[in-house]
């Protein structure tokens, strides 16, 4: 992990209020993996004292660039939209732990809700480069919030659900899971917590519902490894990228925790943001 | 009894040049001695008229930033990092050379492990942030097992920030830290609910604060820092009581109590409802408290609260602090504390000083000023 001076190359409003920015950051472009994030400093003139965490949306080693994808939700994100190409931005990264794909997994199911696209998008590229098949289920409130197909690799099968039915499936993206879970070797999700919780519940009952254990995984697979260990993730059917308000993003302040099934709160910035779904306590009231 | 004023001021209308040459001649004692409580410290900076020929630039090697906080705790420089913002010192290892810091106060440590408060735990606020971590930590034994040997290998002194819910808790934690190589000192976080007194914080009551300080003092010979809470009407009797109970130094301030409202405005934002405000927004409060405390105690005072640049450091020195801690600003700029060390050295050099003593206490009044609790707008 480094403190880096990066340069904004391009900024585009890809959807109303949603931005895609490309930064020249060779160290991040070559040294990061899908699922990791950067902690970006805002201009301090505005009195904003905290950096903003952004998933690395895509990374391109050849051009030494990364992209971030965000919605303007407050003064911090607003500040980023005023940047112009050529402006320098201070980034800390790459941070956190990446998605871990089991080497035997051929069919990857990616599930994103809204801005959760930013969390799983890089994995689609990574998987296709490795010759895997990718289906991406995407949920949004309505058609105007749907991530443009043109920004996805052609190889990805893209399935959309909207809450109001204005595009694709009328309903939640989680409704689509049963149709794909038999096909999928592993699933990777990022989005609002209720969505992740619904997926985690489906994943937990998957084995009994389907009566098969994929990839020779035994009952309770994913347990028995330290929380946050790569092996715990690699063995899990469902990996989730969690979101939490952050202070340091480096593991020092304990501001960003989520409750784990182990009973000890885990740092999203350090043990996460990607967790095996079994590692998270989805049912407890703590922090909800 | 009111303690003697512990500074190092501009008395006598001296020029900086006078003081600088005095300092250079007197560099036999290297570290700033526990300032103010020893006459030598005052001597060090008492201007001698007519002995200066002019301002000279002090060579790099001549600037001594070390500071002696008493009981053998000598910081290599006065720029420390504040508890809770720098973990156990290891987390920022990739981007910060910790050995260039003046001292590290680690995350609040309790007798048994604590899972801390429910989330959300942090929220940005205008010019600052609220936090309600709730002292999540693995407990003192695990902290020692995990980090002490690393700390022992560092040049930078690591001071363990200790929290508890009863005097017995504090004493037990400190006893376990006593004699552990790598532990350079104790900072008592007394902004904790005292279960024995119906949950009132130790920090808001002079007797309770002095009680826990005295008990810990009896339990250890480690250097003992006690951290003041700003959430009181008058800090001076509390500071005095803690000093009289045997603290080696005071640190001030801890966070200010506050809340934020959640997005839907149906409830407060933080999982714990209440959080502690930190960052630039609290600097004037911290300055006021350091200013008041420095006028009533003879032990060193370490300032904390909203420091983001060298001017902030110099402001706190001016109101009597002998060292500072940087907290929230580290989140935006992890390299800030190390840079401040260099900048303080630069400030000494361009002032022609061999140490930063000439910056200390310059804004303190000649006579004790009336306390803020007497009213701000309408003075008696
Ligand atoms: C996230 C966070 C955690 C903190 N944890 C502790 C703690 O465990 N013990 C303590 O004495 N102070 C704690 N503090 C208070 C700081 O040490 C410091 O007193 C305060 O933040 C004011 O300084 P600043 O404005 O430079 O941040 C914490 C502050 C923050 C922001
Ligand atoms: S944001 Fe500070 S520990 Fe994760």
């Amino acid at each position: 992990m480094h403190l880096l001076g990066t340069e904004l190359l391009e900024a585009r409003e890809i959807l109303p209020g949603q931005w895609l920015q490309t930064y020249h950051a060779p160290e991040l472009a070559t040294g990061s993996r899908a699922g990791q994030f950067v902690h970006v400093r805002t201009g301090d003139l505005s009195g904003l004292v905290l950096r903003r965490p952004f998933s690395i949306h895509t990374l391109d080693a050849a051009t030494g660039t990364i992209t971030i994808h965000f919605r303007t939700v407050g003064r911090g994100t607003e500040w980023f939209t005023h940047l112009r190409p050529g402006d320098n931005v201070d980034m800390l990264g790459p941070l956190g732990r990446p998605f871990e794909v089991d080497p035997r997994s051929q069919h990857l199911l990616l599930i994103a809700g809204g801005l959760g696209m930013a969390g799983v998008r890089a994995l689609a590229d990574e998987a296709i480069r490795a010759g895997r098949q990718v289906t991406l289920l995407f949920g949004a409130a309505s058609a105007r919030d749907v991530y443009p197909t043109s920004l996805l690799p052609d190889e990805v099968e893209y399935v959309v659900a909207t809450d109001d039915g204005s595009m694709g499936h009328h309903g939640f993206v989680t409704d689509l899971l049963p149709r794909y879970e038999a096909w999928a070797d592993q699933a990777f999700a990022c989005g609002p917590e209720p969505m992740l919780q619904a997926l985690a519940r489906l994943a937990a009952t998957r084995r009994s519902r389907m009566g098969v254990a994929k990839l020779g995984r035994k009952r309770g697979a994913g347990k028995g490894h330290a929380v946050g260990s790569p092996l715990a993730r690699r063995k899990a059917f469902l990996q989730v990228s969690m979101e939490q308000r952050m202070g340091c993003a480096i593991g020092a302040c304990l501001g960003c925790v989520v409750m784990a099934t182990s009973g000890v709160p885990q740092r999203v910035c350090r043990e996460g943001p990607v967790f095996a779904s079994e590692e998270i306590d989805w049912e407890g009231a703590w922090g909800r | 009894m009111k303690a003697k004023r512990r500074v190092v001021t501009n008395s006598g209308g001296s020029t900086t040049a006078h003081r600088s040459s005095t300092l250079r001649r007197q560099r036999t004692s290297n570290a700033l001695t526990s300032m103010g409580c020893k006459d030598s410290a005052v001597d060090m900076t008492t201007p001698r008229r007519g002995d200066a020929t002019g301002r000279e630039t002090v060579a790099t090697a001549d600037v001594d930033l070390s500071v002696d906080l008493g009981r053998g705790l000598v910081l290599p420089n006065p720029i420390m990092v504040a508890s809770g913002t720098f973990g156990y010192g290891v987390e920022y290892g990739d981007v910060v050379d910790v050995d260039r810091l003046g001292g590290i106060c680690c995350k609040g440590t309790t007798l048994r492990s604590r899972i801390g408060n429910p989330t959300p735990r942090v929220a940005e606020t205008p010019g600052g942030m609220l936090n309600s971590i709730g002292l999540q930590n693995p407990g003192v034994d695990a902290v020692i097992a995990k980090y002490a040997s690393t700390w022992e290998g560092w040049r930078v002194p690591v001071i363990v920030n200790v929290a508890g819910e009863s005097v017995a808790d504090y004493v037990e934690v400190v006893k376990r830290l006593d004699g552990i190589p790598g532990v350079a000192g104790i900072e008592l976080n007394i902004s904790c609910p005292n279960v024995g007194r119906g949950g009132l914080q130790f920090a808001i009551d002079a007797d309770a604060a002095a009680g826990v300080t005295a008990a810990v003092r009896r339990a250890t010979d480690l250097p003992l820092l006690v951290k003041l809470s700003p959430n009181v009407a008058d800090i001076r009797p509390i500071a005095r009581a803690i000093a009289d109970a045997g603290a080696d130094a005071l640190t001030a301030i801890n966070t200010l109590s506050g809340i934020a409202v959640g997005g839907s405005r149906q409830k407060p934002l933080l999982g714990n409802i209440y959080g502690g405000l930190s960052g630039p927004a609290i600097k004037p409060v911290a300055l006021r408290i350091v200013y008041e405390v420095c006028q009533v105690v003879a032990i060193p005072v370490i300032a904390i609260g909203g420091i983001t640049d060298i001017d902030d450091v110099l402001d706190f020195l001016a109101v009597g602090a002998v060292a500072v801690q940087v907290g929230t600003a580290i989140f935006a700029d992890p390299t800030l504390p190390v840079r401040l060390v260099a900048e303080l050295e630069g400030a000494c050099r361009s002032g022609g000083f061999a140490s930063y003593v000439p910056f200390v206490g310059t804004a303190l009044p000649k006579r004790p000023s009336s306390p803020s609790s007497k009213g701000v707008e309408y003075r008696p």
Side-chain angles (χ1 to χ4, degrees):
Chain A
M1 166 253 304
H2 317 272
L3 262 176
L4 301 164
T6 68
E7 183 190 337
L8 179 67
L9 299 179
E10 194 196 344
R12 268 201 299 155
E13 195 171 6
I14 55 168
L15 292 168
Q18 288 192 32
W19 291 75
L20 192 63
Q21 292 186 331
T22 309
Y23 288 89
H24 184 65
E27 294 91 339
L28 295 171
T30 54
S32 311
R33 287 178 56 194
Q36 293 188 295
F37 67 102
V38 287
H39 209 31
V40 189
R41 194 169 177 188
T42 64
D44 25 3
L45 292 177
S46 44
L48 303 173
V49 304
L50 297 179
R51 289 172 179 254
R52 298 295 187 273
F54 296 108
S55 295
I56 299 176
H57 172 260
T58 59
L59 51 151
D60 184 349
T63 56
T65 59
I66 66 159
T67 60
I68 61 172
H69 169 207
F70 60 91
R71 195 198 330 250
T72 47
V73 287
R75 283 172 49 208
T77 41
E78 181 73 34
W79 183 85
F80 284 102
T81 66
H82 298 309
L83 289 169
R84 293 286 162 260
D87 285 349
N88 286 305
V89 170
D90 173 350
M91 293 192 188
L92 185 62
L95 298 167
R97 295 178 174 173
F99 291 110
E100 294 288 349
V101 179
D102 189 305
R104 292 167 296 178
S105 293
Q106 278 311 309
H107 298 169
L108 305 195
L109 184 63
L110 275 49
I111 307 134
L115 260 289
M117 181 62 94
V120 296
R121 176 63 186 80
L123 184 59
D125 288 346
E126 208 175 273
I128 282 166
R129 262 202 312 277
R132 299 186 162 98
Q133 291 184 38
V134 176
T135 296
L136 171 54
L137 312 181
F138 178 76
S142 85
R144 63 191 288 275
D145 305 314
V146 173
Y147 186 88
T149 320
S150 59
L151 293 176
L152 286 168
D154 294 340
E155 296 88 337
V156 171
E157 182 191 354
Y158 189 38
V159 186
V160 172
T162 51
D163 298 353
D164 64 2
S166 53
M167 188 188 278
H169 168 75
H170 186 175
F172 291 141
V173 65
T174 46
D175 303 341
L176 301 171
L177 186 76
R179 246 188 272 166
Y180 293 89
E181 62 179 340
W183 169 83
D185 294 322
Q186 283 188 290
F188 306 86
C190 184
E193 194 169 304
M195 176 194 114
L196 297 180
Q197 189 180 37
L199 291 173
R201 285 176 182 159
L202 284 169
T205 57
R206 175 173 169 272
R207 220 168 276 114
S208 57
R209 281 184 292 112
M210 297 177 46
V212 288
K214 284 260 171 185
L215 297 175
R217 272 182 227 111
K218 297 193 194 72
R219 268 184 78 77
K223 299 214 174 101
H225 302 290
V227 182
S229 76
L231 214 54
R233 273 169 287 145
R234 190 173 305 147
K235 294 210 161 175
F237 172 72
L238 175 64
Q239 293 172 39
V240 291
S241 174
M242 303 294 287
E243 258 190 37
Q244 190 57 277
R245 288 164 181 271
M246 289 190 184
C248 65
I250 216 163
C253 76
L254 303 172
C256 65
V257 298
V258 289
M259 184 50 90
T261 38
S262 67
V264 180
Q266 301 292 314
R267 299 167 295 187
V268 169
C269 72
R270 197 83 174 201
E271 283 78 41
V274 178
F275 292 92
S277 127
E278 299 94 329
E279 292 174 326
I280 305 293
D281 176 6
W282 298 105
E283 307 303 331
W286 196 89
R288 296 208 168 88
Chain B
M1 186 199 76
K2 188 157 286 180
K4 177 171 46 131
R5 215 169 87 208
R6 40 180 288 285
V7 276
V8 211
T9 64
N10 274 333
S11 58
S14 66
T15 65
T16 46
H18 286 128
R19 266 181 279 133
S20 74
S21 61
T22 310
L23 268 172
R24 257 176 286 141
R25 276 193 291 100
Q26 302 200 345
R27 279 194 69 258
T28 42
S29 122
N30 245 350
L32 254 123
T33 42
S34 299
M35 298 204 312
C37 45
K38 301 200 178 62
D39 285 336
S40 63
V42 177
D43 283 349
M44 242 173 109
T45 52
T46 303
R48 313 274 155 85
R49 287 184 170 278
D51 65 353
T53 51
R55 187 172 298 192
E56 294 155 41
T57 306
V58 178
T60 317
D62 288 343
V63 178
D64 180 2
L65 292 181
S66 65
V67 50
D68 185 345
L69 296 177
R71 219 171 278 263
L73 179 58
V74 180
L75 308 182
N77 67 68
I79 312 291
M80 310 170 73
V81 289
S83 174
T85 62
F86 209 73
Y88 296 92
V90 297
E91 292 82 355
Y92 275 103
D94 282 359
V95 287
V96 180
D97 178 3
V98 291
D99 269 337
R100 290 167 66 184
L101 299 168
I104 294 173
C105 294
C106 79
K107 177 66 195 162
T109 301
T110 52
L111 186 54
R112 282 168 289 275
S113 68
R114 287 176 56 93
I115 63 167
N117 287 331
T119 52
R121 288 179 171 182
V122 294
E124 195 177 46
T125 58
M129 66 178 284
L130 289 165
N131 88 81
S132 62
I133 309 301
L135 293 172
Q136 181 182 340
N137 81 98
V140 61
D141 292 335
V143 168
I144 292 169
K146 230 169 145 181
Y147 302 108
S149 63
T150 306
W151 295 341
E152 196 188 351
W154 288 346
R155 242 190 346 259
V156 58
V158 176
I159 290 152
V160 178
N161 182 280
V162 173
E165 290 182 339
S166 67
V167 173
D169 270 12
Y170 281 100
V171 167
E172 185 56 33
V173 175
V174 168
K175 276 187 177 157
R176 294 191 193 184
L177 291 165
D178 196 23
I180 303 286
V183 176
I186 303 289
E187 179 180 54
L188 288 190
N189 173 3
I190 56 170
S191 303
C192 301
N194 179 356
V195 169
R197 289 216 192 183
L200 284 184
Q201 290 179 22
F202 291 92
I204 65 166
D205 178 78
D207 290 340
V212 66
T213 304
V216 168
R217 177 74 294 161
R218 282 192 296 275
T220 181
D221 284 330
L222 280 168
L224 178 59
L225 286 52
V226 180
K227 188 165 182 176
L228 303 177
S229 165
N231 305 315
V232 299
D234 188 355
I235 194 68
R236 297 166 311 142
I238 298 168
R240 241 186 264 122
I242 294 169
D244 290 345
D248 296 308
L250 297 175
T251 57
I253 58 177
N254 212 319
T255 52
L256 285 140
S257 181
I259 70 166
V261 175
S264 61
R265 302 214 162 82
Q266 301 304 301
K267 58 180 184 183
L269 187 151
L270 296 174
N272 183 54
I273 300 174
Y274 299 101
L277 182 64
S278 63
I282 73 168
K283 182 190 160 191
V285 179
L287 272 175
R288 186 260 297 171
I289 286 182
V290 172
Y291 178 82
E292 291 182 339
V293 169
C294 285
Q295 294 179 58
V296 298
V297 300
I299 57 177
V301 175
I302 298 164
I304 324 164
I307 293 174
T308 63
D309 63 21
I310 187 68
D311 283 324
D312 296 331
V313 173
L314 294 172
D315 285 353
F316 278 111
L317 296 180
V319 294
V322 300
V324 299
Q325 295 181 12
V326 183
T328 302
I330 294 170
F331 299 156
D333 187 358
T335 58
L336 173 70
V338 165
R339 218 169 51 243
L340 289 176
V341 176
E343 289 179 9
L344 181 60
E345 194 176 311
C348 293
R349 223 175 301 129
S350 53
F353 307 142
S355 84
Y356 65 93
V357 178
F359 297 123
V360 175
T362 52
L364 283 172
K366 310 282 178 279
R367 264 166 274 105
S369 63
S370 60
S372 62
S373 52
K374 276 199 178 166
V376 181
E377 297 282 312
Y378 307 100
R379 310 191 79 200

